[in-house]
Amino acid sequence: MSLLTNKVGFVTGSGSGIGRESARVMAREGAAVVVSDINVEGGKETVEMIRGEGGEAFFIAADVSRESEIHGLIEGTLGQYGRLDFAYNNAGIAGPTKGVADYPLDEFDKVVAVNLRGVFLAMQAELAHMLPLGRGAILNTSSTFGLVGYPGCAAYVATKHAVAGLTRAAAIENSAAGIRVNAVCPGAIATPMVDEMADEISPGARQPIFDALGAAAPMGRMGRPQEIGEAAAWLVSDAASFVTGLTMTVDGGWTAQ
């Protein structure tokens, strides 16, 4: 039996990158997956990929910074599949590459709205559904930058630290009620978000940045989105039944140095 046979869950921010590949892995592991993203075209592409691989998927557009749209995502999932076993709160944005002294307030607020408020709102809504049932698994995307400091991306670092803290707090609060809450902390992963950050730092010259990111990890390369997806699928599965409050690094050994 596959890891997620007969399970139903959703993945936010699954129109590309880590979210897309996580949704694909989860579907291959037997789950019915609701793909959700503010990017409708990207989300529908993910659904077609999953269905083309023989999996079950459905798309619901949602802006995670809006409470009503989070509730709509949960209600839509229940309407389509009749249950919700796991939720992967993955949607996030990088924001500009600036330090604390120079960070524009409006840009800071945008990053907080998606990366922190979005995860908080989603967890509240997910817990409201799962607690009466006495079961469920919640997974959040933090980052290695949510565990250590890093210059030049102040809002991203701050929000990802906050996600790690929210994860631990919610895990402690809800474990006795049968709800597991964990976070995955990706390192340097080859995604469109990293492409955009590299372009901002060095327009037209991404490769030296990618080479440096790969060389910084003991494994000597950047990670692949699917590798985060494999960890995510395990964390929301019953195979991880005694795992809660974990911030799992998937970073090629970068934070072990």
Side-chain angles (χ1 to χ4, degrees), residues 84-149:
L84 175 64
D85 301 296
F86 67 85
Y88 182 13
N89 305 312
N90 166 73
I93 59 176
T97 52
K98 292 182 181 296
V100 174
D102 301 314
Y103 215 97
L105 181 57
D106 61 336
E107 294 291 344
F108 185 86
D109 288 343
K110 288 179 186 177
V111 177
V112 170
V114 177
N115 293 7
L116 178 53
R117 175 184 165 87
V119 171
F120 174 74
L121 291 174
M123 290 174 68
Q124 280 198 320
E126 292 150 10
L127 288 166
H129 171 73
M130 292 175 176
L131 282 170
L133 301 176
R135 59 176 176 79
I138 295 172
L139 180 64
N140 302 318
T141 295
S142 180
S143 170
T144 52
F145 290 3
L147 304 174
V148 300

Side-chain angles (χ1 to χ4, degrees), residues 30-171:
V33 181
V34 173
V35 171
S36 184
D37 204 293
I38 197 170
N39 177 357
V40 174
E41 182 179 353
K44 290 183 175 180
E45 286 177 357
T46 302
V47 169
E48 291 306 310
M49 289 177 180
I50 291 171
R51 291 176 177 172
E53 295 163 352
E56 173 61 34
F58 184 75
F59 177 70
I60 299 176
D63 178 347
V64 297
S65 69
R66 298 178 179 273
E67 186 175 14
S68 62
E69 296 195 22
I70 289 289
H71 286 284
L73 172 57
I74 292 176
E75 291 165 5
T77 301
L78 295 173
Q80 181 68 19
Y81 294 116
R83 61 186 294 167
L84 175 64
D85 301 296
F86 67 85
Y88 182 13
N89 305 312
N90 166 73
I93 59 176
T97 52
K98 292 182 181 296
V100 174
D102 301 314
Y103 215 97
L105 181 57
D106 61 336
E107 294 291 344
F108 185 86
D109 288 343
K110 288 179 186 177
V111 177
V112 170
V114 177
N115 293 7
L116 178 53
R117 175 184 165 87
V119 171
F120 174 74
L121 291 174
M123 290 174 68
Q124 280 198 320
E126 292 150 10
L127 288 166
H129 171 73
M130 292 175 176
L131 282 170
L133 301 176
R135 59 176 176 79
I138 295 172
L139 180 64
N140 302 318
T141 295
S142 180
S143 170
T144 52
F145 290 3
L147 304 174
V148 300
Y150 199 83
C153 44
Y156 187 81
V157 169
T159 54
K160 291 304 184 177
H161 270 75
V163 168
L166 274 175
T167 298
R168 295 186 182 107

Side-chain angles (χ1 to χ4, degrees), residues 154-217:
Y156 187 81
V157 169
T159 54
K160 291 304 184 177
H161 270 75
V163 168
L166 274 175
T167 298
R168 295 186 182 107
I172 294 167
E173 292 168 357
N174 297 287
S175 58
I179 315 299
R180 296 187 302 105
V181 187
N182 293 293
V184 63
C185 299
I189 310 297
T191 65
M193 180 185 289
V194 174
D195 289 348
E196 292 172 7
M197 292 175 73
D199 281 340
E200 184 177 353
I201 295 168
S202 182
R206 293 180 184 173
Q207 198 56 50
I209 294 174
F210 294 163
D211 292 344
L213 288 171

Side-chain angles (χ1 to χ4, degrees), residues 212-245:
L213 288 171
M219 291 186 72
R221 65 174 176 85
M222 293 178 67
R224 298 183 293 273
Q226 181 180 340
E227 292 174 307
I228 308 302
E230 298 286 354
W234 182 77
L235 285 167
V236 300
S237 78
D238 292 341
S241 58
F242 199 52
V243 178
T244 197

